[in-house]
Amino acid sequence: MNQINSPLIRIGVFYDGNYFLKISDYYYFQHDRKARISLEGLHEFIRHQVAEEEDVDLRLSRVIDAHFFRGRLSATEARDKDRLFHDRLLDDILMNMGIATHYMPLKTRDGRLQEKGIDVWLSLEALELTLHKSYDVVVLIAGDSDYAPLIKKLNTIGTRVMLLNWDFKYVDFKGEARVTRASQHLLEQATYPVQMHEIIDQGLADGDELIETMFVNTPEPVAFPAPAKPVRPTGPTAAGPVGTVGISTIKNLKNGFGFVVMPPNNLFFSYADMSEGDFNDLREGDWVEFTVGRNHRDEDCARNVRKVDAPQMEEGDEYDEEHSETESADSSERL
């Protein structure tokens, strides 16, 4: 190993934001670990991995710069889709980590919001900053073959490229197969391609502390006092007007979303609608408190969802679910 007086290894980390968030969602909803990736833990892993590949003391392996690129909704669209809080929460995490954010407006094409130009912007910034700050190693968290020209150009100026990539597949709540896999061309161009899915699974199986710290610690669920008496459905308008606070049970749970019993249609909610606690701690049949809201399709949904203790019923008082047997498959059509 090189001596401690060897030059510092300067690391620049560049995130394809949508790719990274897809990976984090996978570990939160699909993987047995059921936790999101910790940026702090990931950067510590990067330091160790670069030190090993570059054969230097860990103290000489330093992340000096990190940049996060992503398409973003306008403020109005984010408000209408109830995404303002969650976008701000992500900004807070990135800001506290000292990760510079680069956003480009999402474009609507054929009725769908699409991210265009992020790969080009990331590539140009990565090359310019490497020339300006003399990164020894650029760590790229991406999987698209469009980044291959960037890696080739970085190679020509003597900068090594570490590619963190994942290979996994699963079936989503619609029964559709989802696959995430890095481009083979991208893997061939990288100096240090790192198969993260293999390293993480092996590390978790071995109880590797470095791998464990790559995940956000999930707090213990908190028990909240229940109201004296639940709000019951009473007919076609049982959900109540927007802003109504109700309490009911969870009918169905899928990968990241669920339905609360509330006729005439069970109310949809997702992990993003949790006001307290962890979505992964919920179980079908659990009691939750919620606020009736409206989604981007102007349909009733549940917001500010939190788990509560089962309410104390008065003697002879029963909660009638007979008319709330709407199948989750039918409810899914409202998404």
Side-chain angles (χ1 to χ4, degrees):
M1 179 175 289
N2 295 336
Q3 299 301 313
I4 189 63
N5 59 357
S6 300
L8 187 73
I9 299 297
R10 298 172 294 270
I11 304 169
V13 182
F14 291 83
Y15 290 86
D16 181 320
N18 271 348
Y19 179 80
F20 171 76
L21 293 174
K22 184 189 300 183
I23 300 301
S24 188
D25 280 348
Y26 167 73
Y27 283 103
Y28 188 69
F29 294 119
Q30 306 292 337
H31 195 272
D32 291 340
R33 185 62 178 79
K34 298 299 181 187
R36 292 198 176 279
I37 294 179
S38 161
L39 290 169
E40 185 175 3
L42 182 58
H43 281 200
E44 188 62 19
F45 169 83
I46 287 171
R47 289 185 59 228
H48 281 75
Q49 195 69 22
V50 169
E52 180 179 339
E53 295 287 0
E54 293 282 303
D55 191 27
V56 299
D57 189 286
L58 178 61
R59 290 168 291 181
L60 296 175
S61 178
R62 294 290 174 181
V63 175
I64 66 168
D65 227 356
H67 297 264
F68 187 93
F69 294 78
R70 189 190 183 199
R72 190 172 187 174
L73 294 169
S74 68
T76 301
E77 290 170 322
R79 180 198 62 199
D80 293 344
K81 295 178 183 295
D82 202 24
R83 294 296 309 172
L84 278 174
F85 171 77
H86 301 93
D87 284 350
R88 179 62 183 270
L89 184 61
L90 177 61
D91 281 348
D92 286 350
I93 294 170
L94 294 169
M95 178 177 64
N96 289 330
M97 277 292 297
I99 300 175
T101 54
H102 307 261
Y103 294 122
M104 181 173 284
L106 290 168
K107 303 293 185 182
T108 301
R109 297 175 185 271
D110 301 323
R112 295 177 58 191
L113 287 169
Q114 298 182 18
E115 185 181 76
K116 294 293 182 182
I118 283 293
D119 51 354
V120 175
W121 191 15
L122 186 155
S123 297
L124 291 173
E125 288 289 329
L127 180 59
E128 180 179 359
L129 288 169
T130 300
L131 292 170
H132 178 64
K133 297 189 175 183
S134 301
Y135 301 138
D136 296 292
V137 177
V138 164
V139 176
L140 185 61
I141 301 172
D144 198 314
S145 60
D146 289 344
Y147 293 110
L150 166 64
I151 297 179
K152 288 181 180 179
K153 187 61 68 174
L154 291 173
N155 287 338
T156 65
I157 60 176
T159 300
R160 283 80 71 196
V161 177
M162 176 173 287
L163 178 70
L164 303 191
N165 68 96
W166 281 262
D167 187 345
F168 58 79
K169 57 183 177 181
Y170 62 92
V171 177
D172 67 10
F173 66 89
K174 294 181 180 179
E176 298 178 359
R178 299 292 183 184
V179 179
T180 294
R181 181 175 298 123
S183 159
Q184 185 60 38
H185 184 47
L186 202 62
L187 293 169
E188 292 171 354
Q189 297 298 321
T191 317
Y192 307 128
V194 182
Q195 305 291 332
M196 293 298 293
H197 52 285
E198 295 179 356
I199 291 176
I200 288 174
D201 285 346
Q202 187 61 54
L204 291 175
D206 296 341
D208 188 320
E209 184 177 351
L210 183 62
I211 300 302
E212 287 287 350
T213 59
M214 283 179 58
F215 293 93
V216 176
N217 290 326
T218 303
E220 292 297 322
V222 179
F224 300 101
K229 195 172 184 180
V231 177
R232 294 180 187 75
T234 57
T237 59
V242 172
T244 299
V245 177
I247 179 172
S248 187
T249 55
I250 294 176
K251 175 66 178 176
N252 300 99
L253 287 172
K254 298 290 185 180
N255 296 324
F257 74 94
F259 294 90
V260 174
V261 174
M262 189 58 67
N265 293 310
N266 298 332
L267 297 181
F268 171 84
F269 74 100
S270 75
Y271 72 94
D273 295 309
M274 297 290 293
S275 64
E276 296 181 70
D278 191 319
F279 181 90
N280 286 320
D281 291 331
L282 298 178
R283 299 292 181 269
E284 292 180 2
D286 282 349
W287 285 87
V288 291
E289 184 183 84
F290 60 91
T291 303
V292 177
R294 304 289 282 178
N295 63 20
H296 65 284
R297 294 185 179 181
D298 201 31
E299 298 170 335
D300 286 339
C301 63
R303 304 289 194 198
N304 304 318
V305 179
R306 68 185 183 99
K307 185 177 178 180
V308 297
D309 291 335
Q312 299 297 316
M313 298 290 189
E314 296 177 359
E315 187 174 354
D317 202 3
E318 295 182 355
Y319 184 78
D320 181 14
E321 295 186 9
E322 180 180 354
H323 54 304
S324 64
E325 295 298 319
T326 305
E327 293 294 332
S328 61
D330 295 334
S331 300
S332 296
E333 295 300 321
R334 301 187 293 118
L335 301 183

